Amino acid sequence: MEIQGKIKMVGETQTFGSNGFRKREVVVTTEEQYPQHIMVEFVQDKCDLLNSFGAGQAVKISINLRGREWVNPQGETKYFNSIQGWRIESLQEEAGAPGMPPVPPMDAFEPADDVNDEDHDDLPF
């Protein structure tokens, strides 16, 4: 699954427990009729994927939905969900490589009128 939107906030990497579990959160605001602020967790080695991203950037995040069960001390079972990211891409890069001039519209090209249908094409495909 994927989430697209603009980054609202990128959190700092947090470390938990004696085994050094790492977690980093990013909040993405979707761009739809009713925008949603979606918090996505990146864990362990995936935390570093957020290093080059900041607030205001348009991104696409590949996610997995995670669920877990927990029984509290009173014996009640509780369920928790989380959204875990495993890849993040900048959407600006898809529009074109940085520094490349924009492609002119198709009507800027004139049709060739000196084409001879009898000329043999020597292309191998």
Side-chain angles (χ1 to χ4, degrees):
M1 290 186 270
E2 296 175 341
I3 294 175
Q4 288 188 19
K6 285 197 176 167
I7 294 177
K8 182 178 180 90
M9 180 275 307
V10 178
E12 295 296 320
T13 301
Q14 301 171 319
T15 305
F16 301 93
S18 59
N19 62 355
F21 177 80
R22 297 185 329 140
K23 177 174 97 167
R24 192 169 184 189
E25 299 172 343
V26 60
V27 176
V28 175
T29 303
T30 61
E31 297 175 340
E32 51 195 347
Q33 183 177 0
Y34 301 105
Q36 302 295 308
H37 305 287
I38 309 290
M39 196 267 299
V40 180
E41 299 176 338
F42 284 75
V43 298
Q44 299 297 73
D45 60 332
K46 302 295 184 192
C47 293
D48 297 332
L49 295 176
L50 298 175
N51 289 347
S52 60
F53 293 92
Q57 280 186 277
V59 294
K60 175 171 65 173
I61 302 177
S62 299
I63 61 164
N64 290 323
L65 295 178
R66 299 281 183 218
R68 64 187 180 282
E69 179 181 87
W70 176 69
V71 179
N72 70 14
Q74 292 78 30
E76 300 170 326
T77 303
K78 304 282 185 177
Y79 296 93
F80 298 93
N81 298 319
S82 63
I83 301 171
Q84 213 169 73
W86 53 274
R87 181 172 60 198
I88 182 168
E89 303 171 55
S90 175
L91 290 179
Q92 281 85 3
E93 291 179 293
E94 291 178 8
M100 295 289 292
V103 177
M106 282 303 292
D107 58 0
F109 297 99
E110 295 184 27
D113 52 358
D114 61 342
V115 177
N116 184 350
D117 289 334
E118 294 176 12
D119 284 343
H120 180 66
D121 189 348
D122 63 349
L123 294 175
F125 48 88

